[in-house]
């Protein structure tokens, strides 16, 4: 009976202590959540941009013969024209188009019409990025070479478009 | 009297403990709920585009044979539904070549996106009576996907051929789901 007041006081102190912990925790959690949400939103913006560039590339008449079918001669001619492509699709992105033929990567070179190469790369640089891949085709005018002529060939391929993460300067 | 007071103090302590535990559980629930909003999900829009492009890309690819009716994958698929047996390059029956090529391309694209499951289905269109066509269904890939009740994306295409004055119409679809 003698300690009743003290015990009640202790209880109130402990309860108050827990309430303070919970309030601090809420503040901490809300701050972390806000930061994470901002990062997720930033990622979403980059994803949307990558997707947008991808959708525009697969129909761009500078690169395709018909929707989602890239023309190898157009691809080769645009290889060293990153600046021109950036005017069309914006900056800070890259694109890769690769024929799926089970062979190792043989990069195509600008100005060289090589029917063995299978990889076209545009505007690639070092850095972290968000990317999307899509199945497409590559149309090669010089597909089959016979004595009686040349027959075009359509290859299965993929396009990968990435948007570089923005870094603070 | 002393016993009763001691009992009341104990009960009050237990009540506080229960309130604290309840608060902790509630906050854990709220945290999990908030975190679930932060999870990134691959958009349905992208999966849809992927499925349609995959189907189109497979159908438009070359088979490696140059004889008429065997050049593209869509050609050999149409040829495999023909009642007249035909061998591409006089070597391989249409249906075998169609299965080989579709399986190969699905595997190759599957290596790019390993978190997807694929099922490729071809069947004659029932609205058009096509003479000289096999009544069969060509299924390639993960057949269990057809009856599973999960989130799926379906892309559809049609292959149309006119042979000896009659129309052949095939419905081609690819079903895509996440693993």
């Amino acid at each position: 009976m003698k300690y009743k007041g003290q015990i009640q006081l202790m209880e109130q102190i402990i309860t108050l202590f827990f309430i303070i912990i919970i309030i601090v925790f809420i503040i901490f959690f809300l701050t972390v959540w806000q930061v994470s949400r901002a990062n997720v939103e930033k990622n979403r913006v980059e994803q949307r941009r990558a997707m947008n560039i991808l959708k525009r590339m697969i129909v761009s008449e500078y690169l395709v013969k018909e929707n989602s079918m890239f023309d190898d001669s157009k691809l080769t001619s645009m290889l060293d024209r990153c600046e021109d492509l950036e005017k069309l699709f914006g900056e800070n992105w890259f694109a890769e188009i690769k024929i799926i033929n089970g062979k190792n990567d043989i990069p195509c070179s600008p100005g060289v019409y090589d029917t063995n190469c299978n990889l076209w790369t545009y505007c690639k640089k070092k850095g972290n990025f968000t990317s999307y891949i899509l199945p497409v085709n590559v149309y090669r005018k010089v597909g089959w070479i016979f004595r009686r002529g040349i027959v075009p060939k359509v290859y299965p391929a993929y396009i990968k478009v990435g948007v570089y993460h923005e870094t603070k300067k | 009297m002393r016993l009763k007071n001691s009992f009341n103090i104990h009960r009050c302590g237990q009540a506080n403990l229960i309130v604290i535990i309840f608060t902790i559980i509630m906050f854990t629930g709220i945290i999990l709920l908030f975190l679930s909003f932060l999870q990134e999900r691959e958009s349905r829009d992208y999966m849809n585009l992927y499925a349609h492009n995959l189907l189109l890309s497979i159908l438009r690819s070359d088979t490696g044979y140059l004889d008429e009716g065997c050049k593209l994958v869509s050609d050999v698929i149409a040829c495999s539904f023909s009642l007249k047996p035909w061998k591409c390059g006089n070597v391989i029956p249409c249906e075998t070549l169609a299965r080989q090529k579709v399986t190969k391309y699905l595997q190759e694209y599957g290596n790019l996106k390993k978190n997807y499951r694929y099922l490729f289905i071809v069947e004659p269109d029932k609205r058009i009576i096509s003479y000289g066509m096999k009544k069969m269904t060509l299924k390639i890939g993960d057949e269990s996907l057809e009856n599973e009740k999960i989130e799926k994306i379906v892309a559809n295409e049609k292959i149309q051929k006119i042979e000896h004055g009659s129309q052949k119409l095939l419905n081609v679809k690819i079903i895509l789901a996440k693993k």
Side-chain angles (χ1 to χ4, degrees):
Chain A
M1 194 64 191
K2 165 166 98 168
Y3 299 114
K4 193 189 167 191
Q6 283 178 329
I7 288 168
Q8 275 180 347
L9 189 70
M10 275 302 287
E11 262 179 20
Q12 279 171 359
I13 289 169
I14 289 168
T15 315
L16 198 69
F17 176 71
F18 272 108
I19 288 169
I20 290 168
I21 286 179
I22 287 167
I23 290 170
V24 169
F25 178 75
I26 291 170
I27 293 167
F28 175 76
F29 171 71
L30 285 178
T31 314
V32 171
W33 190 69
Q34 275 296 333
V35 171
S36 315
R37 217 177 60 160
N39 282 335
V40 168
E41 197 49 45
K42 200 179 135 198
N43 277 347
R44 274 187 198 145
V45 169
E46 279 169 358
Q47 280 175 359
R48 251 178 268 148
R49 193 166 164 243
M51 188 74 166
N52 193 18
I53 294 172
L54 184 67
K55 282 181 180 173
R56 281 161 61 201
M57 278 193 109
I58 58 171
V59 294
S60 169
E61 287 186 359
Y62 293 100
L63 302 167
V64 301
K65 184 177 176 286
E66 55 186 87
N67 283 2
S68 301
M69 190 188 282
F70 290 90
D71 186 321
D72 73 329
S73 53
K74 287 183 182 178
L75 290 175
T76 305
S77 69
M78 292 303 271
L79 270 174
D80 54 352
R81 291 167 68 184
C82 178
E83 280 177 16
D84 291 342
L85 288 170
E86 280 184 338
K87 279 176 197 161
L88 286 172
F89 304 111
E91 291 176 346
N92 248 354
W93 60 272
F94 75 92
E96 262 179 25
I97 295 149
K98 187 177 183 299
I99 290 177
I100 301 174
N101 53 0
K103 290 180 187 168
N104 290 335
D105 294 358
I106 306 168
C108 299
S109 313
V112 182
Y113 195 84
D114 177 13
T115 51
N116 286 319
C117 73
N118 58 13
L119 176 69
W120 292 265
T121 309
Y122 303 92
C123 310
K124 195 148 191 186
K125 53 189 180 189
K126 279 185 182 173
N128 296 327
F129 55 81
T130 304
S131 67
Y132 280 111
I133 282 184
L134 209 58
V136 288
N137 293 103
V138 169
Y139 171 84
R140 218 161 218 174
K141 215 169 264 175
V142 186
W144 308 95
I145 303 166
F146 301 105
R147 274 188 195 166
R148 55 192 162 96
I150 291 165
V151 180
K153 191 175 178 182
V154 179
Y155 294 88
Y158 71 82
I159 178 170
K160 180 178 181 179
V161 169
V163 167
Y164 290 107
H165 296 168
E166 277 180 27
T167 47
K168 285 173 190 167
K169 288 175 186 172
Chain B
M1 184 68 178
R2 185 178 284 179
L3 194 71
K4 200 179 172 184
N5 274 340
S6 153
F7 180 70
N8 275 345
I9 288 163
H10 273 290
R11 226 170 44 172
C12 190
Q14 276 178 347
N16 275 345
L17 197 70
I18 289 168
V19 169
I20 288 163
I21 291 170
F22 182 71
T23 318
I24 290 169
I25 291 170
M26 215 171 71
F27 274 103
T28 317
I30 292 169
I31 290 165
L32 291 177
L33 184 75
F34 274 55
L35 289 178
S36 72
F37 290 133
L38 290 178
Q39 271 182 352
E40 284 180 54
R41 286 176 192 154
E42 206 163 54
S43 71
R44 210 177 150 78
D45 184 29
Y46 169 64
M47 271 184 81
N48 202 18
L49 187 65
Y50 189 91
H52 281 87
N53 261 48
L54 177 65
L55 182 57
L56 211 60
S57 173
I58 291 173
L59 294 178
R60 294 195 301 202
S61 293
D62 266 69
T63 57
Y65 289 84
L66 288 170
D67 37 338
E68 204 188 330
C70 292
K71 195 170 187 299
L72 306 177
V73 173
S74 59
D75 294 335
V76 281
I77 288 173
C79 169
S80 27
F81 279 80
S82 180
L83 282 174
K84 280 185 182 174
W86 180 262
K87 282 186 175 178
C88 293
N90 283 328
V91 183
I92 185 166
C94 286
E95 195 185 330
T96 315
L97 184 63
R99 281 185 187 277
Q100 262 181 21
K101 288 291 163 186
V102 174
T103 310
K104 187 186 161 206
Y105 293 148
L106 280 180
Q107 273 173 359
E108 279 171 351
Y109 282 119
N111 288 336
L112 293 175
K113 281 268 173 199
K114 287 182 178 161
N115 58 334
Y116 287 171
R117 294 161 65 197
Y118 307 89
L119 176 60
F120 186 90
I121 303 173
V122 190
E123 52 196 358
D125 194 303
K126 284 162 191 148
R127 288 170 298 175
I128 289 176
I129 304 159
S130 303
Y131 300 101
M133 263 180 92
K134 281 185 204 166
K135 283 177 186 165
M136 65 166 197
T137 305
L138 192 70
K139 286 182 187 174
I140 300 163
D142 190 345
E143 288 192 29
S144 62
L145 206 57
E146 200 176 10
N147 300 319
E148 272 181 53
K149 284 178 181 167
I150 50 167
E151 199 185 346
K152 294 181 248 186
I153 298 280
V154 183
N156 293 288
E157 275 293 331
K158 286 194 188 296
I159 299 175
Q160 188 188 33
K161 295 269 169 193
I162 295 170
E163 250 177 42
H164 311 297
S166 81
Q167 189 187 187
K168 282 181 185 174
L169 194 61
L170 297 168
N171 291 330
V172 190
K173 67 177 171 185
I174 199 158
I175 304 174
L176 198 78
K178 279 194 172 174
K179 274 183 186 168

